């Protein structure tokens, strides 16, 4: 098992403190010489810590073990002393993705086919890290999404002045018209009182979901907010384990769950979370990384929205050695790699 760090500059920064995203590339080799390629990912915090955990603790434990269904769980139990989630699960994703890539390569198929493809295409929604955009830039972005055929879009909210949020939502809704879906994402900026006021102020715009209005840790707050508003509550990008997703669903704290395949630890736990959501009858919409998230969504029994952040696909950022085969066109995502995950970083 080998790792290396890749830093990928963003075309348009996500904020003053997010001008690049970081990837720890993980390659694994089996006893026959076959190689699998995976990665861990983080926008800002912990990149070197992830690499150190992989090299110092995950690799010495994992190398020499069979590639079977027990591998992920064994590795997670090994590193759990450093924390059950966060850096540990982000690190484990690198190994898990590499192992799944190796499995698909051994089988001579792409990941969706290995998992059992159920969909040839799925709806994508236009998304942007745009809270810092001037209003005219936000409106221009919304017009681009409409021109690209997206039937749903998501914008950031959480300005200090709630009235400014309302004005921005109103402007985007005017561009979208009544038939396109509009989601909003507050990125954990509010407490319960502010979230309650904000939800009441924006309900009239027909919001498809309100994403992460509170700190992801505040399960009881989410449950109470869900009782106070008719807007469906979405969260999950900052939940890292099956247990946390189960706790959130038990509490009635989310109508839509949004696991990030890297933050939860890879494909193995992602599939468990997806099955939990299916059992509970809760909508699942994977967070970010469309070139990978779409491949997983193609194999799920239900229809899942795939998030496409403007100018943030790895291919668009020039980070890959070759196209993945995943296509986003006219508001739909389709295709997939011919072999493995199809994600090779330059």
């Amino acid at each position: 098992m080998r790792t290396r760090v890749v830093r990928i500059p963003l075309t348009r920064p996500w904020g003053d403190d997010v001008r690049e995203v970081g990837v720890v590339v993980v390659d694994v080799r089996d006893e026959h010489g076959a190689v699998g390629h995976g990665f861990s990912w983080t926008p800002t915090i912990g990149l070197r810590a992830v690499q150190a955990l992989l090299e110092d603790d995950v690799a010495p434990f994992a190398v020499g073990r069979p590639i079977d269904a027990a591998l992920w769980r064994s590795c997670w139990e090994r590193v759990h002393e450093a924390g059950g989630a966060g850096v540990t699960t982000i690190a484990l994703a690198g190994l898990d993705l590499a192992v799944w890539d190796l499995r698909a390569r051994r089988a001579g198929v792409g990941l969706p086919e290995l998992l059992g493809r159920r969909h040839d295409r799925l709806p994508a929604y236009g998304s942007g890290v745009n809270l810092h955009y001037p209003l005219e830039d936000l409106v221009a972005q919304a017009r681009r999404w409409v021109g690209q055929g997206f039937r749903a879009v998501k914008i950031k909210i959480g300005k200090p002045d709630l009235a400014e949020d309302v004005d921005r939502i109103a402007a985007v809704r005017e561009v979208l018209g009544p038939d396109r879906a509009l989601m909003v994402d507050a990125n954990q900026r509010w407490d319960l009182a502010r979230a309650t006021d904000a939800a009441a102020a924006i309900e009239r715009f027909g919001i498809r979901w309100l994403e992460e209005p509170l700190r992801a840790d505040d399960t009881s707050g989410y449950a109470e907010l869900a009782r106070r508003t008719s807007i469906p509550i979405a969260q999950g990008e900052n939940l890292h384990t099956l247990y946390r997703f189960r706790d959130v669903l038990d509490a009635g704290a989310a109508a839509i769950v949004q696991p990030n395949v890297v933050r939860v630890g890879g494909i193995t736990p992602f599939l468990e979370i997806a099955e939990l959501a299916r059992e509970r009858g809760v909508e699942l919409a994977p967070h970010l990384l469309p070139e990978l998230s779409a491949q997983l969504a193609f194999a799920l029994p239900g229809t899942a929205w795939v998030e496409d952040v403007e100018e943030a696909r790895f291919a668009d950022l020039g980070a890959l050695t070759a196209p993945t085969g995943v296509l986003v066109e006219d508001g739909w995502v389709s295709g997939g790699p011919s072999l493995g995950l199809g994600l090779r970083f330059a």
Side-chain angles (χ1 to χ4, degrees):
M1 178 173 149
R2 297 289 184 268
T3 73
R4 62 185 174 93
V5 165
V6 178
R7 298 186 184 275
I8 306 168
L10 292 167
T11 303
R12 182 164 182 169
W14 291 352
D16 290 339
D17 60 340
V18 188
R19 298 183 174 274
E20 64 180 16
V21 294
V23 167
V24 180
V25 176
V26 180
D27 296 328
V28 298
R29 184 182 303 272
D30 70 10
E31 72 273 25
H32 303 296
V35 179
H37 309 281
F39 67 95
S40 296
W41 165 91
T42 177
T44 53
I45 303 298
L47 187 65
R48 292 292 184 186
V50 167
Q51 185 183 31
L53 191 68
L54 280 163
E55 293 189 345
D56 296 347
D57 298 292
V58 176
F61 180 77
V63 171
R65 291 179 179 269
I67 294 175
D68 58 23
L71 178 62
W72 189 90
R73 180 80 187 193
S74 297
C75 290
W76 181 70
E77 290 174 349
R78 172 67 175 176
V79 300
H80 192 278
E81 185 176 343
V87 169
T88 52
T89 50
I90 292 169
L92 288 178
L95 171 62
D96 190 70
L97 294 178
V99 166
W100 278 97
D101 182 66
L102 177 57
R103 287 172 174 153
R105 289 174 179 275
R106 283 172 165 177
V109 297
L111 178 66
E113 283 64 42
L114 182 70
L115 295 174
R117 183 188 283 269
R118 297 169 184 257
H119 307 277
D120 291 325
R121 69 173 192 168
L122 288 168
Y125 68 91
S127 183
V129 185
N130 46 31
L131 186 65
H132 59 300
Y133 285 18
L135 180 59
E136 57 270 23
D137 288 0
L138 177 63
V139 169
Q141 185 178 52
R143 288 178 177 146
R144 286 194 297 275
W145 286 328
V146 170
Q148 292 163 9
F150 288 108
R151 302 300 301 170
V153 308
K154 185 173 77 181
I155 66 170
K156 302 293 186 182
I157 57 175
K159 291 287 190 179
D161 184 354
L162 178 56
E164 187 175 358
D165 278 335
V166 172
D167 289 345
R168 290 164 70 87
I169 291 171
V172 171
R173 171 52 79 191
E174 183 175 355
V175 171
L176 299 181
D179 297 328
R180 289 180 175 84
L182 173 58
M183 301 83 143
V184 295
D185 181 359
N187 279 127
Q188 307 182 85
R189 286 185 172 85
W190 298 329
D191 60 16
L192 180 58
R194 180 59 178 265
T196 301
D197 291 343
I202 66 176
E203 278 181 328
R204 61 191 173 94
F205 295 106
I207 303 300
R208 176 68 170 76
W209 72 58
L210 170 57
E211 183 172 329
E212 273 202 327
L214 310 174
R215 273 287 165 191
D217 314 82
D218 187 7
T219 300
S220 62
Y222 273 99
E224 177 58 29
L225 180 62
R227 289 188 284 267
R228 294 182 180 185
T229 180
S230 63
I231 303 174
I233 302 299
Q235 62 160 317
E237 68 177 85
N238 286 296
L239 304 178
H240 295 82
T241 67
L242 176 69
Y243 304 103
R244 285 289 292 122
F245 280 90
R246 186 185 63 193
D247 290 346
V248 163
L249 294 181
D250 284 347
I256 300 98
V257 293
Q258 302 169 300
N260 178 295
V261 62
V262 170
R263 287 175 177 163
V264 301
I267 293 166
T268 299
F270 180 96
L271 295 175
E272 294 177 346
I273 292 164
E275 177 59 19
L276 174 67
R278 187 197 64 79
E279 290 174 353
R280 300 297 182 86
V282 173
E283 182 179 354
L284 183 142
H287 174 251
L288 284 185
L289 306 176
E291 291 146 305
L292 177 57
S293 294
Q295 296 187 53
L296 301 179
F298 290 149
L300 299 179
T303 298
W305 284 98
V306 175
E307 182 176 18
D308 184 40
V309 176
E310 187 176 59
E311 298 179 334
R313 292 178 222 155
F314 287 133
D316 293 345
L317 296 173
L320 303 179
T321 60
T324 63
V326 175
L327 303 174
V328 182
E329 297 177 324
D330 299 323
W332 295 89
V333 59
S334 61
S338 59
L339 193 64
L341 275 64
L343 286 157
R344 297 290 301 276
F345 289 88

